[in-house]
């Protein structure tokens, strides 16, 4: 077999990785993963159903929450086939086209979630800092337009990534570190010059997730400034309490996302197990925890859920 043919043969598939060294207990490991996926899908679906069917929840805060639930569903569905395929059936192979499609959806939904968290921070900022104009500023048509704009922004900026990756030759080791495909990993397996991909990937990371997190931080600076100016401690606590769910969602999403990105780009000596764990936390924990936190913290949403299931 010639060198060129060997290269093409090797690059026909990528090999995904579950948890190295634990292959004998993959079936047991699949139990918590299946549970997390089921809870994520059911939890976000229930939130969407409750918000859609209850007119009293057709308010800006809950419209943004439904956007977050849709995004979390997209993230979960994007990783289910390969993750459960490894732990249930030890199916590690994924074709190049399937890998490129998966990374497109994973990164698109990740950046859309970042944008939705920014919109939710804007919602809290208006509600606390300018409550008298809240209803006139955050009208449903304006909310939908903002949501559509951020979706188009994320998709348009992510779309070139799989196209660029498809132009490369892959002749190095074709083993990926996760049970799903990420752009940072796939591009490192190429024999070609990946400078453009590396710069472009870092640029959109800074333009999307970097700016979103910066604006979220500034929103909370203004919120804190407004709340501290309130003379009544009770009103101060009440205002901050409306932000708790969103703050948890921000921490669940940005902490592992930033950590994983730093490890992929600069942490060559970092523990491989830490990289794998962060990868699972990044894509599994936000869709799992967001519906739980919002259901617990939102009194109105919790009451509607209880009414539906215990009617």
């Amino acid at each position: 077999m010639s060198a060129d043919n060997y290269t093409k043969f090797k690059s026909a598939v990528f090999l995904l990785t579950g948890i190295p060294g634990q292959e004998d207990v993959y079936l047991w490991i699949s139990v918590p993963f299946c549970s997390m996926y089921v809870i994520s899908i059911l939890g976000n679906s229930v939130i969407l159903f409750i918000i859609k069917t209850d007119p009293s929840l057709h308010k800006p805060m809950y419209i943004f929450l439904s956007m977050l639930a849709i995004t979390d569903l997209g993230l979960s569905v994007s990783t289910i086939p390969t993750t459960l395929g490894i732990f249930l059936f030890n199916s590690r192979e994924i074709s190049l086209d399937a890998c490129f499609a998966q990374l497109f959806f994973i990164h698109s939904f990740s950046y859309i979630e970042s944008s939705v968290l920014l919109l939710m921070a804007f919602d809290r900022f208006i509600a606390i800092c300018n409550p008298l104009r809240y209803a006139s500023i955050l009208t449903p048509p304006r909310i939908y337009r903002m949501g559509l704009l951020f979706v188009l922004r994320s998709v348009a900026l992510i779309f070139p990534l799989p196209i660029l990756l498809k132009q490369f030759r892959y002749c190095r080791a074709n083993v990926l570190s996760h049970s799903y495909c990420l752009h940072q990993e796939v591009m490192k397996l190429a024999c070609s010059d990946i400078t453009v991909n590396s710069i472009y990937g870092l640029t959109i990371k800074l333009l999307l997730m970097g700016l979103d997190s910066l604006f979220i931080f500034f929103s909370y600076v203004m919120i804190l400034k407004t709340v501290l100016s309130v003379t009544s401690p009770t009103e101060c606590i009440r205002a901050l309490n409306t932000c708790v769910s969103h703050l948890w969602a921000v921490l669940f999403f940005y902490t592992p996302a930033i950590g994983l990105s730093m490890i992929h780009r600069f942490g060559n000596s970092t523990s491989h197990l830490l990289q794998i764990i962060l990868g699972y936390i990044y894509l599994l924990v936000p869709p799992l925890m967001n519906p739980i936190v919002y259901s617990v913290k939102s009194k109105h949403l919790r009451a509607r859920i209880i009414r539906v299931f215990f009617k």
Side-chain angles (χ1 to χ4, degrees), residues 145-193:
R145 285 198 295 270
M146 288 190 298
L148 179 60
L149 177 64
F150 280 119
V151 169
L152 293 176
R153 179 191 73 159
S154 300
V155 171
L157 289 175
I158 295 298
F159 190 73
L161 292 181
I163 296 176
L164 290 170
L165 290 173
K166 199 171 178 62
Q167 313 306 313
F168 294 155
R169 291 170 59 249
Y170 298 90
C171 57
R172 298 177 184 171
N174 58 344
V175 180
L176 299 172
S177 300
H178 300 287
S179 58
Y180 45 81
C181 296
L182 294 176
H183 170 254
Q184 303 97 306
E185 271 209 303
V186 174
M187 71 175 181
K188 291 180 180 179
L189 302 183
C191 301
S192 313
D193 183 9

Side-chain angles (χ1 to χ4, degrees), residues 200-220:
Y200 183 74
L202 182 60
T203 301
I204 61 175
K205 176 81 73 173
L206 293 174
L207 285 177
L208 296 178
M209 203 172 286
L211 285 179
D212 289 348
S213 58
L214 190 63
F215 286 135
I216 290 172
F217 173 75
F218 284 142
S219 296
Y220 274 100

Side-chain angles (χ1 to χ4, degrees), residues 118-139:
L118 172 60
L119 290 175
M120 297 176 86
F122 180 65
D123 168 75
R124 292 299 84 206
F125 168 74
I126 298 297
I128 294 174
C129 299
N130 202 350
L132 297 180
R133 297 188 59 199
Y134 180 77
S136 61
I137 293 175
L138 292 177
T139 60

Side-chain angles (χ1 to χ4, degrees), residues 2-3 17 26 28 52 57-58 61-62 81 83-84 86 136 138 169 196 200 203 222 226 252 258 264 291 296 308 311:
S2 68
T17 302
Y26 270 2
W28 293 104
K52 180 176 175 58
L57 296 179
H58 294 177
M61 174 183 174
Y62 297 104
T83 301
L84 293 188
I86 288 177
S136 61
L138 292 177
R169 291 170 59 249
V196 173
Y200 183 74
T203 301
M222 297 303 296
T226 302
F252 288 144
I258 294 172
H264 274 302
V296 171
V308 167
K311 183 166 56 176

Side-chain angles (χ1 to χ4, degrees), residues 103-116:
L103 70 85
F104 168 76
F105 284 110
I106 288 176
H107 288 295
S108 293
F109 281 118
S110 294
Y111 288 129
I112 291 171
E113 177 142 352
S114 175
S115 301
V116 173

